[in-house]
């Protein structure tokens, strides 16, 4: 047995390996026994788990109703109008604009939209009402003159609400829904003219806590009154009013209802998830897979408690899977700014797709992978003969191209103490077209790392460029180093070698150096030997920084200078001068350290 295998065997046979049995969680002490498991739906032949979402659902924005009612400072009429205009501009065709019977503010806002002709012909506004006759009358009255409008009536149907809030039987609760539907129809017939295309939506509120057979019974009773049929749709909204079950259970409920509803082809089955468990987006997506036709929510998940479903998140999830969301999120920052102005609420930095940091990597390994991913994407697109912006996306750690939502690449990689060479190299290439050789990336990353370790916090792209210039590229504002290049002249000798004459400043004094070698770089190192500088070039790379006759070139040289290994950088329109400047950069850095 070899020594290595003996060591391996000894390690394997150590007496205290970590196992599941040795990792024991301790009881929390929290009163978990007060809470009852939600349960499941008996649906053994469920079909939704094997489905994909291949087209966008219908969307309803309830930012101006559900979202607005949850604000500490509800929107002013001006902010409401700005939100409405944003929703129209983004492409939402169904917008719940208020609860007109709740007070003068909502009523007058609905009227202003109608009287100012602010509603496009293809947009349907929706208004919410409880099932009381006076509230229904006021609600329908608010819609007079609207081109397209829906009344949304709701009443709670769950056992807890029947017992605690309404203290009524199932028959009483069903009667509220049925009688409310009849009243909506009566007042619509009485108050709305033929110019209004009128629709109806009913919600058995607290649907997920309602017995499925009773929820079905109530919905069927409502449909018996409304009489959906060809050209006469009804919207049935089945909300997770308070999210208490896992998304798969909610999907089972939606599939069960979708299977058992009569007149299903005339029903728009709508889902309205909240986010109390933090899984509102998943609930909506699985509900669509299970048969829901329509998704209701708010931009960035605004709403009571933990919020409504996030319409941006669900829409962008579709986009990331190659499905057109039918909503234009191409300027995500403008959407966020308008949302924050209207709601006086902030979108968190880590919010999916829209937060300040969601396309940003600080980790060195992530940054390195992203840089390589961008390089590969450019190469693959070029090989395919198509622009990068049209090529199939595939970059590590970035689920979508930030440019597709209006973000620049500047924020993709940011540098702090956790960052590595890949991120720093990405910043230099993206902002300054400098493609550093790998070993130089390592050298410069250590310089940046020392800065972040010493000062803490984030290093901006501007900071990185400033440090890079100070380290490799003396400027007129920051001149440093023993040597500075003035002029050079190269000749080819009879023996085929290069003879070089160089005018330089050495410690501030003019000097003329001569040398020869098998190329300009070799000749220059020979010339430097004449003033006692021992330089040996270990590696060399160069590339153009731009195209055209006046393009600049960047040269990178790795040098052993008097026994110290240093990289140098030179930038010049002339490639030979760029090379000589790079050698001087390395020599100056050696003398500086």
């Amino acid at each position: 047995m070899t020594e290595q295998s003996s060591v391996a065997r000894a390690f394997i046979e150590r007496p205290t390996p970590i196992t599941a049995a040795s990792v024991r969680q301790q009881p929390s002490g929290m009163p978990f026994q007060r809470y009852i498991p939600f349960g499941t739906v008996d649906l053994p032949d469920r079909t939704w788990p094997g489905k994909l979402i291949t087209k966008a659902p219908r969307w309803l924005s309830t930012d101006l109703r559900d979202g607005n009612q949850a604000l500490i400072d509800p929107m002013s009429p001006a902010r409401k109008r700005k939100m409405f205009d944003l929703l129209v501009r983004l492409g939402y065709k169904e917008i719940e604009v208020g609860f007109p019977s709740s007070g003068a503010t909502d009523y007058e806002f609905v009227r202003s939209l109608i009287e100012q002709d602010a509603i496009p012909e293809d947009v349907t506004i929706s208004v919410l009402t409880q099932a009381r006759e006076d509230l229904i009358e006021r609600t329908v009255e608010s819609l007079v003159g609207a081109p397209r409008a829906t009344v949304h009536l709701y009443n709670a149907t769950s056992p807890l609400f029947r017992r605690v809030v309404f203290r009524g039987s199932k028959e009483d609760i069903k009667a509220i829904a049925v009688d409310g539907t009849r009243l909506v129809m009566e007042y619509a017939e009485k108050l709305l003219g033929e110019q209004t295309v009128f629709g109806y939506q009913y919600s058995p509120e607290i649907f997920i806590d309602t017995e499925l057979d009773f929820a079905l019974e109530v919905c069927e009773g409502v449909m018996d009154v409304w009489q959906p049929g060809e050209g006469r749709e009804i919207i049935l909204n089945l909300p997770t009013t308070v999210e208490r079950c896992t998304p798969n259970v909610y999907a089972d409920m939606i599939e069960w209802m979708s299977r058992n509803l009569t007149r299903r082809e005339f029903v728009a089955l709508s889902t309205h998830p909240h986010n109390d468990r933090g899984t509102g987006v998943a609930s909506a997506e699985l509900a669509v897979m299970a048969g829901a036709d329509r998704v209701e929510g708010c931009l960035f998940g605004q709403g009571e408690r933990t919020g409504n479903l996030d319409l941006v998140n669900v829409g962008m999830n579709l986009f990331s899977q190659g499905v057109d969301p039918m909503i234009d999120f191409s300027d995500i920052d403008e959407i966020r700014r308008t949302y924050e102005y209207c709601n006086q609420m902030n979108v968190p930095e880590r919010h999916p797709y829209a937060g300040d940091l969601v396309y940003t990597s600080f980790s060195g390994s992530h940054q390195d992978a992203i840089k390589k991913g961008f390089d590969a994407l450019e190469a693959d697109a070029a090989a395919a003969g198509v622009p990068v912006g049209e090529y199939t996306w595939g970059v590590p750690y970035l689920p979508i191209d930030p440019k597709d939502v209006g973000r620049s690449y500047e924020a993709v990689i940011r540098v702090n103490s956790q960052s590595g060479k890949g991120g720093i190299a990405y910043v230099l290439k993206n902002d300054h077209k400098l493609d550093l050789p790998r070993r130089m990336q390592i050298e410069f990353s250590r310089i940046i790392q020392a800065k972040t370790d010493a000062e803490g916090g984030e290093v901006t792209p501007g900071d990185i460029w400033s440090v890079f210039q100070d380290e490799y590229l003396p400027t007129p504002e920051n001149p440093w180093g023993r040597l500075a290049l003035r002029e050079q002249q190269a000749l080819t000798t009879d023996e085929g070698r290069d003879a070089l004459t160089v005018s330089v400043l050495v410690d501030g004094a003019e000097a003329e150096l001569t040398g020869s070698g098998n190329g300009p770089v070799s000749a220059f190192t020979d010339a430097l030997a004449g003033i006692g500088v021992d330089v040996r070039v270990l590696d060399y790379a160069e590339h153009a920084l731009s195209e055209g006759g006046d393009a600049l070139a960047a040269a990178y040289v790795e040098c052993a200078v008097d026994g110290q290994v240093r990289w140098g950088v030179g930038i010049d329109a002339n490639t030979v001068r760029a090379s000589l400047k790079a050698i001087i950069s390395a020599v100056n850095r050696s003398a500086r350290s």
Side-chain angles (χ1 to χ4, degrees):
M1 181 178 294
T2 67
E3 182 180 351
Q4 183 179 9
S5 62
S6 298
V7 171
R9 181 177 178 183
F11 183 83
I12 291 169
E13 293 176 352
R14 292 177 69 179
T16 56
I18 295 175
T19 64
S22 68
V23 179
R24 296 186 180 89
Q25 295 291 139
Q26 298 299 313
S28 69
M30 298 174 67
F32 62 89
Q33 63 277 1
R34 297 184 62 207
Y35 302 93
I36 301 171
F38 190 86
T40 60
V41 177
D42 184 17
L43 196 69
D45 58 342
R46 60 182 61 82
T47 62
W48 63 263
K51 293 183 178 179
L52 291 174
I53 303 175
T54 57
K55 67 176 183 177
R58 284 168 56 177
W59 305 105
L60 174 115
S61 158
T62 185
D63 288 86
L64 292 164
R65 198 270 302 173
D66 233 17
N68 186 53
Q69 76 175 20
L71 294 173
I72 297 172
D73 178 21
M75 296 182 212
S76 65
R79 284 190 279 147
K80 279 187 175 181
R81 178 58 186 273
K82 193 170 183 67
M83 175 61 77
F84 179 80
D85 291 343
L86 171 68
L87 294 168
V88 169
R89 192 162 65 248
L90 294 180
Y92 289 100
K93 300 303 180 185
E94 296 177 84
I95 303 172
E96 197 160 51
V97 294
F99 199 150
S101 64
S102 66
T105 301
D106 268 23
Y107 184 90
E108 290 169 4
F109 177 69
V110 176
R111 293 307 308 157
S112 73
L113 292 176
I114 296 169
E115 292 166 4
Q116 295 172 20
D117 199 24
I119 308 166
E121 290 186 3
D122 62 346
V123 171
T124 301
I125 62 169
S126 176
V127 288
L128 185 71
T129 183
Q130 294 169 312
R132 281 173 30 200
E133 182 171 2
D134 58 326
L135 303 182
I136 291 171
E137 180 181 14
R138 180 72 167 164
T139 299
V140 177
E141 182 184 68
S142 75
L143 298 175
V144 171
R148 300 173 62 88
T150 295
V151 167
H152 176 188
L153 181 137
Y154 75 98
N155 67 303
T157 56
S158 72
L160 182 64
F161 272 68
R162 296 198 305 261
R163 179 175 64 85
V164 173
V165 179
F166 299 112
R167 298 180 182 179
S169 65
K170 285 184 175 180
E171 290 72 21
D172 296 330
I173 301 304
K174 178 180 176 182
I176 292 172
V178 170
D179 293 343
T181 302
R182 186 175 293 111
L183 286 168
V184 168
M185 294 172 65
E186 289 176 2
Y187 280 104
E189 179 67 23
K190 176 182 177 182
L191 298 174
L192 301 182
E194 292 184 358
Q195 77 271 27
T196 299
V197 178
F198 181 70
Y200 181 59
Q201 173 172 335
Y202 171 70
S203 295
E205 196 192 15
I206 325 293
F207 163 75
I208 64 166
D209 286 304
T210 302
E211 307 92 325
L212 281 176
D213 57 351
F214 181 56
L216 179 67
E217 180 183 339
V218 174
C219 289
E220 289 289 345
V222 165
M223 287 197 291
D224 287 343
V225 175
W226 179 257
Q227 287 294 302
E230 192 66 42
R232 185 176 173 79
E233 172 191 86
I234 188 170
I235 301 168
L236 295 178
N237 173 35
L238 306 177
T240 63
T241 310
V242 178
E243 186 183 43
R244 295 202 319 106
C245 65
T246 54
N248 62 302
V249 174
Y250 181 56
D252 283 348
M253 293 179 171
I254 296 296
E255 182 162 343
W256 190 93
M257 289 289 289
S258 183
R259 289 187 191 184
N260 287 281
L261 282 166
T262 64
R263 297 159 280 196
R264 177 64 180 90
E265 65 271 33
F266 308 122
V267 174
L269 202 57
S270 195
T271 176
H272 184 113
H274 280 253
N275 200 42
D276 299 87
R277 290 172 52 91
T279 56
V281 168
S283 292
E285 291 176 330
L286 298 193
V288 170
M289 292 160 60
D293 307 297
R294 186 170 178 259
V295 171
E296 305 181 10
C298 296
L299 300 180
F300 304 117
Q302 169 59 21
E304 298 278 15
R305 303 180 309 280
T306 56
N308 284 53
L309 168 77
D310 181 353
L311 290 176
V312 178
N313 199 341
V314 177
M316 285 303 303
N317 282 356
L318 291 178
F319 177 81
S320 74
Q321 300 298 303
V323 177
D324 186 353
M326 310 299 283
I327 302 294
D328 184 1
F329 296 115
S330 60
D331 192 350
I332 200 81
D333 288 335
E334 176 60 25
I335 299 169
R336 185 185 66 178
R337 283 190 292 269
T338 303
Y339 163 88
E340 291 182 336
Y341 164 76
C342 293
N343 289 287
Q344 303 293 291
M345 300 280 284
N346 293 324
V347 175
E349 288 87 347
R350 298 293 182 188
H351 198 96
Y353 299 107
D356 279 336
L357 298 178
V358 297
Y359 304 109
T360 300
S361 286
F362 291 101
S363 161
S365 61
H366 290 203
Q367 293 172 346
D368 186 58
I370 290 172
K371 177 183 179 299
K372 291 173 179 174
F374 275 117
D375 291 344
L377 186 70
E378 291 176 3
D380 292 345
V386 299
V388 173
E390 298 176 11
Y391 195 74
T392 301
W393 179 253
V395 172
Y397 298 112
L398 290 174
I400 66 165
D401 186 342
K403 283 195 172 180
D404 288 338
V405 290
R407 289 281 180 87
S408 72
Y409 291 147
E410 292 176 2
V412 171
I413 290 178
R414 291 164 62 174
V415 178
N416 65 12
S417 61
Q418 302 301 309
S419 306
K421 64 183 186 303
I424 296 164
Y426 172 88
V427 170
L428 290 172
K429 184 175 182 182
N430 187 63
D431 293 1
H432 303 285
K433 311 305 180 188
L434 293 173
D435 192 4
L436 275 58
R438 179 176 175 80
R439 287 200 300 278
M440 187 179 177
Q441 293 177 25
I442 296 170
E443 179 188 82
F444 185 55
S445 70
R446 289 171 181 159
I447 295 168
I448 294 294
Q449 192 76 36
K451 178 179 175 64
T452 57
D453 287 345
E455 300 176 8
E458 182 182 348
V459 182
T460 67
D463 293 334
I464 291 172
W465 179 237
S466 179
V467 172
F468 186 85
Q469 285 183 299
D470 181 67
E471 189 67 31
Y472 298 98
L473 300 171
T475 65
E477 297 76 26
N478 182 29
W480 57 264
R482 290 191 61 208
L483 305 179
L485 181 65
R486 293 301 198 204
E487 298 177 356
Q488 89 284 341
Q489 182 178 4
L491 298 172
T492 303
T493 67
D494 293 339
E495 294 79 19
R497 291 169 62 81
D498 283 313
L500 186 69
T501 301
V502 187
S503 174
V504 296
L505 281 178
V506 181
D507 296 326
E510 294 279 356
E512 187 172 279
L513 310 179
T514 59
S516 63
N518 58 6
V521 169
S522 175
F524 189 48
T525 61
D526 182 57
L528 289 174
I531 58 171
V533 178
D534 179 19
V535 184
R536 183 163 50 93
V537 175
L538 306 176
D539 196 7
Y540 174 86
E542 67 176 35
H543 63 81
L545 292 177
S546 57
E547 297 179 355
D550 57 351
L552 293 175
Y556 313 91
V557 292
E558 185 182 30
C559 298
V561 184
D562 295 327
Q564 299 182 66
V565 176
R566 294 287 186 272
W567 280 88
V569 181
I571 297 175
D572 199 277
N574 181 286
T575 56
V576 172
R577 284 181 62 82
S579 302
L580 303 189
K581 285 182 176 181
I583 294 171
I584 287 176
S585 171
V587 170
N588 285 340
R589 292 187 63 234
S590 175
R592 196 183 195 193
S593 59

